[in-house]
Amino acid sequence: MFTQILVPVGGSLTLSALLAAIPLLLLIVLLGVFKTPARIAAPASLIAALAVGVVAFRLPASIAFSGAAEGIVYGIFPILWVAINAIWLHKVTELRGHSAALRTAFTRVSDDRRVQAILVAFCFGAALEGLAGGGAPVAICAVILMALGLSPIKAAAACLIADTSPVAFGALGQPIDVLATQTGLPVHDLAVMIGRQTPLLALFIPLVLVLVVDGKTGLKQRWGVALAAGVSFAAVQCAASVFLTPALVDTVAAVVSGVVTVLVARASRVATTAAVSQRSMVTAGGGDFAAPPAGESTEDGEQPSVLAALTPYLLIVAVVIIANLPGVSDLIASLTTKVHWPGADVLGSDGKPLSIAKISFAWVGAPGSLVLIAGLLSLPVLGVGLGRAARVWLANLGQLRWAIFTVCCVIALSYVMNLSGQTTTLGVWLAGAGAAFPLVSPVIGWIGTVLTGSDTSSNTLFGLLQYTTAHHAGLSDVLLTSANSSGGVVGKAVSLQNLAIAAVAVGLGGKEGVLFRRTIGWTVVMVVVLSVLVYLQSTPVLGWLVP
């Protein structure tokens, strides 16, 4: 059995960390500087990870390739499984014009795309993240925004940025549950601490969405609605983290924020309509600002109902809730297949075996499976036959082929880095910041999510490292382990998994680099804000916020 070497290069942690960072730096440079398509950047970075892992970190080639294969399998199921079925479900709704009815529903609330972006990407997206996660918010909300008339780039960028602050409580609180399991800390304490970090992001995200959609002019005109959405979500997320289970925090916050946004938008509807009319005259159609005409008909010439259009999404909520009921969840869990992946047994540098070789296939309980079940149940309401829906699913799979390839390469890269010890070396090197470690703590979580595409996986990778570092530095273990998850949510916006899903969802396959450049700046700002917040929480200034 291979034992990881924490410092494999000349006894220098810094040199070892620099080598370990090569795959990640290569990925960022190819995407952000050279504008390389993700389907080329991802395998190039995977090859780099294999080379560094085998040559510098002395990982046996057999383990390296076995781990890469495991990453590919895990990338397909469950990670990509949710995106495949979420995009398929939206394409089914397009067959008979239901997407137009959904657009009508949002335009009835407001005919301003800036308000629609807040409702769809931020409020509805947060609800989906809380219930399913796994890329579903980006995949579903991006195509809805396009149906509302937003340009592909803006729709994707808005959804990527919005899918940040809810992530720590996403997938029914799974990231927090995993963090508690890794560290042995109480779930409630972690939830409360995260509830005093991520809401700061939620305060400003709706304002950022307005900037993305309509620039400074939009922000000047719609800052009130955006601020109302952000404040209401942040306040409820913070309060719910104290009084509710983590599984319900995002859902409750999203519903309250949605209601507040609708009320404020309707209160200013007259001003909004006047602004749209004036702007439309200037831009000859309104460009990305004015809402498109509503009321398109189905292929049979009938106007689909809004309720029918909303049925697939309401069924997603219902199916997820039912799947988590006592008894039902136990039945679903019994259908899970647990596998010990061959050739991936590795001991960490501390001598303890890694859990990477253990992989589970929740055939029914995976978020993607629940989306598929909801989609199948909605077919009669949508008036689409099973055979036609199956053909759409297969065609959708073909259209997603490059996104599937890209994401699989990235997940394989993360598995190779984890098995070889590259990820641990990077984390330990960053942990050397000592008393200033709280400034670095969210960055470690960010790296974990960028590498894996999942805040849950980031907590698995670095949760224990943060806990151990806190004890050595005399800092709060609850604070730093929570900061790992809070920093990880920011990495979601630029993880290649989400970038690939967003690009394919809006028909920009191969343009992930464009989306990366649109979102990386906001990610940096959010990480800096979180780092400063966590540092202040480690001092008497805001230390009273730590449970």
Side-chain angles (χ1 to χ4, degrees), residues 323 327-338 361-362 364-365:
V328 179
S329 60
D330 295 335
L331 175 62
I332 291 175
S334 68
L335 301 175
T336 298
T337 302
K338 297 182 179 180
F361 298 96
V364 178

Side-chain angles (χ1 to χ4, degrees), residues 516-537:
F516 178 83
R517 291 191 296 277
R518 284 289 186 108
T519 55
I520 185 63
W522 295 114
T523 296
V524 171
V525 171
M526 286 190 278
V527 167
V528 170
V529 169
L530 272 177
S531 294
V532 173
L533 174 64
V534 172
Y535 177 75
L536 292 176
Q537 289 175 337

Side-chain angles (χ1 to χ4, degrees), residues 388-413:
R388 190 176 185 186
R391 289 191 294 273
V392 173
W393 194 92
L394 291 174
N396 178 55
L397 193 65
Q399 294 169 353
L400 288 171
R401 62 188 183 278
W402 284 117
I404 293 172
F405 172 77
T406 300
V407 173
C408 284
C409 286
V410 173
I411 303 302
L413 177 151

Side-chain angles (χ1 to χ4, degrees), residues 21-118:
I22 287 177
L24 180 59
L25 293 175
L26 179 62
L27 185 63
I28 293 174
V29 170
L30 288 177
L31 285 174
V33 179
F34 295 103
K35 304 178 183 180
T36 307
R39 62 177 179 268
I40 297 175
S45 300
L46 171 59
I47 293 172
L50 287 167
V52 173
V54 172
V55 177
F57 284 76
R58 305 167 202 171
L59 179 71
S62 59
I63 296 180
F65 285 104
S66 178
E70 183 184 4
I72 291 172
V73 171
Y74 187 73
I76 295 173
F77 189 97
I79 291 178
L80 281 167
W81 185 235
V82 65
I84 291 170
N85 290 317
I87 295 173
W88 162 76
L89 179 57
H90 179 76
K91 291 188 175 183
V92 169
T93 65
E94 291 180 322
L95 292 178
R96 298 178 62 83
H98 290 87
S99 59
L102 187 61
R103 185 175 70 192
T104 300
F106 282 106
T107 54
R108 285 176 181 173
V109 175
S110 174
D111 52 6
D112 189 329
R113 285 188 188 148
R114 300 164 298 191
V115 176
Q116 293 167 354
I118 295 171

